[in-house]
Amino acid sequence: MSPISITRRSALAGGLATGAAFAMPADEASAQAFVSSPGGNVKVMPAITRYIADSPAAPVPAPIRELAQLHILDTLASTVACRELEASRLGRQYAAAQGGGRIPILGSTDRASLIDAVFASAMTAHAAEINDFIPSAFVQPGPAIVSAALLLGQQRGSNGRRLVNAVIAGYELAGRIPKTISTANLSRAGLANHGIGPVFGTAAAAASLIGLDADKVAHCLSYCAQQASGSWQWMLDVRHIEKAFVFAGMGARNGLQAALMVEAGFTGVPDCLDIEGGWLRSSAFAGGEADRAYLIEHLGRRFELTESAFKRYPSGGPTQPAVEALLDLRRQLNPNEVERIVIAMPGRWQAFRDANMPALNLPYLASLIIA
């Protein structure tokens, strides 16, 4: 543990210092169902494509179904709360500029084409730091996956059961893909978990609602691999616009397009996650932290939704415990008596001391809470 020392003057005067990229520890659990090492040649495509193809009618335990419904509601609440923020307005303006359409943009009365409406809706849902997240995967799945599922489901006339099953499948991919690669490998490759997970998660949800069979799901994942991107420079974005794009709008658009293109007949590399030279077999993802087997371990029995969390406070996920502690402290003291605050936290604590983004900058958050 390392301390972040904050004086009242430095917190108020220098709360938004130089940004820094960082890596969070990934879930390093080994796959119990396989004897090969985490970095071995476990074939994942047959199981993952069959899981997504079968997801529309898959049996899901009642507690998991209820949890999925709560995450849908949480995303809708985020959408309503954020609809007037800058990232939301820009998302709607962009969608409107592309031409007409009949699909509603969530949180507004505006309409656009399906892909543009999903993009703008996802931007709206992540226009502030209030939506859900998967701490162990370092992704925020709700804005992209739920926006795409709701609007595509409406267009296709899907019932509630199928919609919820699609969302569950989406959360599985969004959580499992980054942990399969590992945050450390993604960071070394210059790729942010936040842009990688949502594109696969949205595509899985869309493929489920469209009803793609296993062979077509494989092609869909190939187009996800081609579009998986996102730089850690989002931490330098103080206006939460590029961040909303990386975390939500980009993944929603790219994942939905992958599924729609395959539905239209596009083909890709059908075993892209297994084949030598394919995306997941890249040398950048072959480090000791990678765990290929995690992608398919206990599919349909252990759910990434149980790893997902709701935000209690409108700040970045890693700052939630510190914000809660500061709020508790604020109720017990007179701010005029505070000369210095020391915050101890694990990992790359400098990122939270130096982040440009207010929602991640602990000196800034501490100054607001204690002042």
Side-chain angles (χ1 to χ4, degrees):
M1 305 282 263
S2 299
I4 299 175
S5 181
I6 308 166
T7 63
R8 287 174 59 82
R9 177 176 294 180
S10 66
L12 292 169
L16 302 181
T18 304
F22 66 101
M24 295 283 288
D27 186 340
E28 297 294 336
S30 297
Q32 299 174 2
F34 301 90
V35 294
S36 55
S37 66
N41 294 327
V42 175
K43 287 192 174 295
V44 298
M45 287 295 287
I48 199 69
T49 56
R50 176 51 56 195
Y51 168 77
I52 296 170
D54 291 346
S55 63
V60 177
I64 299 300
R65 182 171 297 282
E66 182 178 2
L67 192 54
Q69 292 168 347
L70 291 174
H71 280 272
I72 292 171
L73 289 174
D74 180 76
T75 302
L76 287 172
S78 298
T79 302
V80 172
C82 297
R83 65 185 183 273
E84 298 303 326
L85 298 181
E86 187 176 20
S88 307
R89 290 187 281 102
L90 289 172
R92 292 195 298 271
Q93 290 172 20
Y94 169 82
Q98 308 316 305
R102 297 186 295 176
I103 304 298
I105 297 173
L106 298 177
S108 76
T109 58
D110 298 333
R111 294 177 180 269
S113 68
L114 176 61
I115 289 177
D116 291 334
V118 166
F119 174 83
S121 297
M123 290 286 291
T124 300
H126 188 64
E129 289 288 349
I130 59 176
N131 57 266
D132 62 358
F133 64 118
I134 305 179
S136 56
F138 218 9
V139 296
Q140 301 193 18
I145 295 169
V146 172
S147 296
L150 285 172
L151 296 181
L152 178 61
Q154 180 193 53
Q155 185 204 53
R156 301 299 173 101
S158 301
N159 60 33
R161 179 180 181 82
R162 185 158 185 164
L163 173 67
V164 171
N165 278 24
V167 168
I168 293 169
Y171 274 63
E172 286 301 299
L173 268 290
R176 287 173 182 262
I177 284 284
K179 287 189 277 189
T180 292
I181 298 170
S182 89
T183 298
N185 280 340
L186 286 169
S187 182
R188 281 192 289 269
L191 296 171
N193 304 39
H194 319 83
I196 301 296
V199 64
F200 282 91
T202 300
S208 178
L209 287 167
I210 292 171
L212 298 183
D213 62 27
D215 289 339
K216 290 183 178 179
V217 169
H219 293 289
C220 180
L221 295 179
S222 187
Y223 283 101
C224 288
Q226 290 292 352
Q227 299 182 94
S229 59
S231 165
W232 288 93
Q233 73 183 34
W234 63 263
M235 288 197 71
L236 307 177
D237 173 27
V238 298
R239 294 172 67 177
H240 214 282
I241 297 171
E242 184 173 342
K243 182 174 185 289
F245 173 77
V246 173
F247 279 51
M250 179 178 71
R253 179 197 64 195
N254 292 357
L256 178 59
Q257 282 184 322
L260 292 175
M261 287 189 299
V262 171
E263 183 186 32
F266 282 52
T267 60
V269 178
D271 51 355
C272 67
L273 303 185
D274 288 333
I275 192 172
E276 191 69 35
W279 183 74
L280 199 55
R281 295 288 296 277
S282 164
S283 59
F285 301 155
E289 302 90 344
D291 187 356
R292 286 179 57 82
Y294 187 87
L295 183 59
I296 58 175
E297 179 188 20
H298 306 314
L299 267 174
R301 291 184 288 135
R302 181 191 56 74
F303 295 88
E304 290 295 310
L305 272 165
T306 63
E307 304 282 321
S308 305
F310 301 104
K311 286 183 181 174
R312 181 172 292 183
Y313 308 106
S315 66
T319 68
Q320 296 283 306
V323 168
E324 182 165 4
L326 287 164
L327 288 169
D328 288 342
L329 185 64
R330 177 63 179 82
R331 289 188 282 268
Q332 303 172 34
L333 53 76
N334 183 337
N336 294 324
E337 299 174 349
V338 178
E339 294 184 357
R340 182 180 296 270
I341 303 168
V342 178
I343 303 173
M345 64 186 303
R348 296 291 297 277
W349 55 272
Q350 296 94 333
F352 303 101
R353 180 196 63 190
D354 300 336
N356 273 17
M357 189 169 296
L360 288 175
N361 186 286
L362 277 174
Y364 176 77
L365 292 169
S367 71
L368 288 180
I369 294 168
I370 299 300

